[in-house]
Amino acid sequence: MANKNLFSSAVAKLLVRTDVVNQAGGIAYAYGPEGKLAQLAATGTFGDGFYAGAEAQLADVLDTASKVDPEWVAKCAVYARQSGAMKDMPALLAAWLTTADPDLAVPVFGRVIDNGRMLRNFVQIMRSGQTGRTSLGSRPKRLVREWLEQASYRQLMQAATGNDPSLADIVKMVHPAPKDAERRAFYGWLIGKPYDVDALPAEIAAYEAWKKDKSRPLPDVPFEWLTSFELTAKQWGVLAGRMGWQALRMNLNTLARNGAFQVKGVTKSVADRLGDAQAMARVKPAPYQLMTALTQVGDGVPLEVQAALEKALEASVAKVPKLKGNVVVCPDVSGSMQSPATGCRKGATSVVRCIDVAALVAAAVLRTNEKARVFPFAERVVDVKLDPYARLAVNAEKLAGIWGGGTNVSAPLAKLNRERAKVDTVVIVSDNQSWIDSNYYGPTQVMKEWEQLKRRNPAAKLICIDIQPYGSSQAKDRKDIMNVGGFTDAVFGAMARFANGEARDWTEIVNEVEV
């Protein structure tokens, strides 16, 4: 009799054959061009990943963008920036559109280039030649010039913090028209040309005066302009009150090292700011950023401040949905998940690993779904006991401490099938580069195990959260399966809608973006 595993009519009828070999050498399903660009836009950071380098990722983005409608590129750019909080990727897609569809590039620029850092990213990418230009060109130059002419002094000062290119370089490129004597003096000061000292903006004038006489009050300029000078503990305390929310979160150890928390009132002020719900709503920090800050704080940071940071972490996952029925969340803890979540890049490699992101997602789901089961997996599922009422950071750290081995994404599903478990929702958080369970024909083992699980649980849903831009999945999108990528609470929202009956795939979510 012929091999039943190979020639099962049921399997052939129900399951789709794989069509690509993934980066780890296992069989997989390639995303279509639209889905692939959405995945790249939401997870790509142009850093070297575990399986592929930054140059390969860039080539992949440009090639995929050329295969879809420019309007889809525009939607991905806006989604990546506004929902995914990405930086380099939306700037690249906006730059690409200046050649592919110059008219469409105009509204996308307005939606994506929303601060000085994004403006510098855009100009750097345009000048690199990677999108078909080595200079800005007339329309992009006009867009940049208009941004400068409409920006406030606060926005311009923030834009002037950073190099390659600097804001001065950009001003020299596009020659913005100063609307008054004050703006003319500012541009002259910025690029090192003669200017009317009496016409300088008050903040710049105060900064120049302070550099000559450090006994003056600290000028109200970006704190980065001041930290290269020797400052007193009291002055560091003043900066603690002026830093933006994200800068404050990132500079707690610096403040402690320079004695800021020894100044009366600073500890309470910093704790109050970190715990400010309205400030967090404006900034929208990613949960993994807060967990990193919490795990990196030194002994010099007061416990009151650490408690506020933990409160912020808990608040950042408040949108994690309450899912109906029996929930299983499966963080990938295999060896490849030890790589930095945003890739390796000289001078900018994040301490956050893929495993940290997966562990935090699992811990957050457990927090709002206290009866959820947690199945960390590598080659097999690893047994772990977690307290759903424990602090979020405690459970996340415990999960992140389990790691090593090859990737077998089907392992959690196989365990559920062996148990004949009742399941309503399975959430897998992974880089999706499964190879341990790979074969050379037919569907992936994930799809085989899922189909077996579905026979017992017809209404079950599978959600695969992808945190690396490798262009393939282990489960094919359909009404009961959704692949979604990214690091922000937009993923939690998509997960909630899908699990609770809105059977939409990720491309439909991105397609709702208005350009």
Side-chain angles (χ1 to χ4, degrees):
M1 181 178 290
N3 187 323
K4 291 184 178 180
N5 290 327
L6 289 175
F7 302 109
S8 168
S9 59
V11 170
K13 187 174 182 180
L14 293 173
L15 302 180
V16 180
R17 293 177 62 89
T18 54
D19 52 11
V20 71
V21 175
N22 65 25
Q23 300 281 357
I27 60 173
Y29 299 101
Y31 287 120
E34 287 81 9
K36 183 175 182 178
L37 190 63
Q39 185 215 27
L40 286 162
T43 61
T45 58
F46 300 117
D48 292 332
F50 187 86
Y51 291 108
E55 291 185 1
Q57 187 180 129
L58 173 60
D60 215 9
V61 174
L62 296 176
D63 177 65
T64 307
S66 69
K67 295 176 180 176
V68 300
D69 190 280
E71 186 173 359
W72 181 254
V73 178
K75 288 176 181 289
C76 288
V78 175
Y79 178 87
R81 180 60 186 156
Q82 297 190 342
S83 296
M86 303 298 280
K87 300 179 181 69
D88 295 349
M89 188 64 72
L92 172 70
L93 296 179
W96 185 87
L97 284 168
T98 62
T99 300
D101 193 327
D103 291 335
L104 189 56
V106 175
V108 171
F109 182 94
R111 300 283 298 282
V112 167
I113 309 304
D114 53 9
N115 62 34
R117 176 174 178 174
M118 290 299 295
L119 184 76
R120 295 200 316 275
N121 284 353
F122 176 80
V123 173
Q124 178 187 2
I125 290 168
M126 289 291 295
R127 295 175 69 198
S128 72
Q130 295 289 357
T131 61
R133 297 175 182 266
T134 54
S135 61
L136 290 180
S138 58
R139 189 174 305 199
K141 184 178 289 187
R142 175 173 60 80
L143 291 172
V144 172
R145 184 166 55 242
E146 289 175 351
W147 191 98
L148 293 171
E149 292 170 352
Q150 296 167 10
S152 67
Y153 281 113
R154 177 60 55 183
Q155 289 173 311
L156 290 171
M157 287 191 294
Q158 292 293 347
T161 306
N163 295 295
D164 301 324
S166 66
L167 183 63
D169 294 332
I170 295 173
V171 168
K172 292 175 183 177
M173 284 181 226
V174 303
H175 306 291
K179 59 185 177 182
D180 52 33
E182 186 179 50
R183 189 63 66 105
R184 184 177 295 106
F186 172 79
Y187 288 145
W189 170 84
L190 182 71
I191 65 177
K193 295 291 186 181
Y195 60 89
D196 182 356
V197 175
D198 294 332
L200 276 177
E203 300 92 336
I204 304 300
Y207 176 61
E208 290 298 321
W210 178 83
K211 287 195 297 183
K212 295 174 183 177
D213 180 3
K214 302 297 193 304
S215 66
R216 288 173 173 269
L218 282 180
D220 188 13
V221 296
F223 80 94
E224 296 94 338
W225 294 15
L226 304 172
T227 54
S228 61
F229 298 96
E230 186 174 344
L231 303 176
T232 66
K234 187 175 181 180
Q235 288 173 321
W236 277 101
V238 172
L239 291 186
R242 292 182 181 176
M243 289 179 185
W245 198 96
Q246 288 279 42
L248 182 62
R249 185 257 309 170
M250 296 169 65
N251 284 278
L252 294 175
N253 289 334
T254 301
L255 293 172
R257 189 166 55 249
N258 288 281
F261 293 118
Q262 304 304 315
V263 178
K264 185 178 179 179
V266 171
T267 294
K268 184 178 186 306
S269 173
V270 170
D272 288 346
R273 289 190 63 204
L274 289 175
D276 185 343
Q278 291 184 342
M280 282 191 63
R282 290 192 300 271
V283 176
K284 297 180 180 178
Y288 75 85
Q289 293 176 321
L290 294 167
M291 188 179 73
T292 301
L294 189 59
T295 57
Q296 295 292 311
V297 291
D299 294 337
V301 178
L303 293 178
E304 184 179 348
V305 173
Q306 296 185 40
L309 196 57
E310 186 150 6
K311 178 183 175 183
L313 173 60
E314 297 282 349
S316 72
V317 296
K319 292 186 179 180
V320 175
K322 178 76 174 178
L323 303 174
K324 297 177 182 178
N326 300 307
V327 178
V328 184
V329 58
C330 313
D332 181 351
V333 296
S334 64
S336 63
M337 296 289 283
Q338 287 291 306
S339 63
T342 55
C344 297
R345 190 179 350 173
K346 186 177 181 180
T349 298
S350 170
V351 299
V352 182
R353 304 163 299 171
C354 293
I355 196 171
D356 297 319
V357 176
L360 183 58
V361 171
V365 171
L366 180 63
R367 169 53 57 86
T368 53
N369 301 269
E370 61 273 5
K371 294 185 178 179
R373 303 178 70 186
V374 180
F375 285 5
F377 70 91
E379 296 179 18
R380 59 180 179 80
V381 172
V382 181
D383 292 330
V384 62
K385 290 184 179 180
L386 300 175
D387 178 0
Y389 304 104
R391 290 170 20 237
L392 195 64
V394 170
N395 279 338
E397 187 175 2
K398 190 171 184 179
L399 286 169
I402 308 167
W403 65 275
T407 309
N408 180 0
V409 177
S410 67
L413 300 177
K415 179 178 174 64
L416 291 170
N417 283 329
R418 288 194 299 271
E419 295 177 354
R420 300 192 60 79
K422 291 184 178 180
V423 178
D424 293 285
T425 304
V426 177
V427 180
I428 296 175
V429 194
S430 174
D431 61 9
N432 266 314
Q433 298 304 293
S434 196
W435 60 276
I436 291 291
D437 56 350
S438 197
N439 52 52
Y440 299 99
Y441 58 88
T444 61
Q445 192 63 30
V446 167
M447 289 300 291
K448 292 178 183 178
E449 296 289 353
W450 181 247
E451 198 61 38
Q452 184 178 336
L453 185 147
K454 287 281 289 184
R455 293 186 197 125
R456 298 190 316 276
N457 305 277
K461 299 286 183 66
L462 175 62
I463 301 169
C464 301
I465 301 176
D466 203 337
I467 53 178
Q468 290 284 275
Y470 293 131
S472 66
S473 67
Q474 288 294 296
K476 191 76 171 175
D477 278 323
R478 60 188 200 188
K479 288 184 178 181
D480 60 331
I481 299 174
M482 179 176 72
N483 288 284
V484 61
F487 316 112
T488 68
D489 61 9
V491 172
F492 295 139
M495 179 169 67
R497 291 190 296 271
F498 184 77
N500 293 325
E502 294 185 33
R504 301 179 304 162
D505 64 31
W506 193 17
T507 56
E508 290 176 298
I509 294 171
V510 175
N511 198 43
E512 292 176 353
V513 172
E514 294 183 5
V515 178

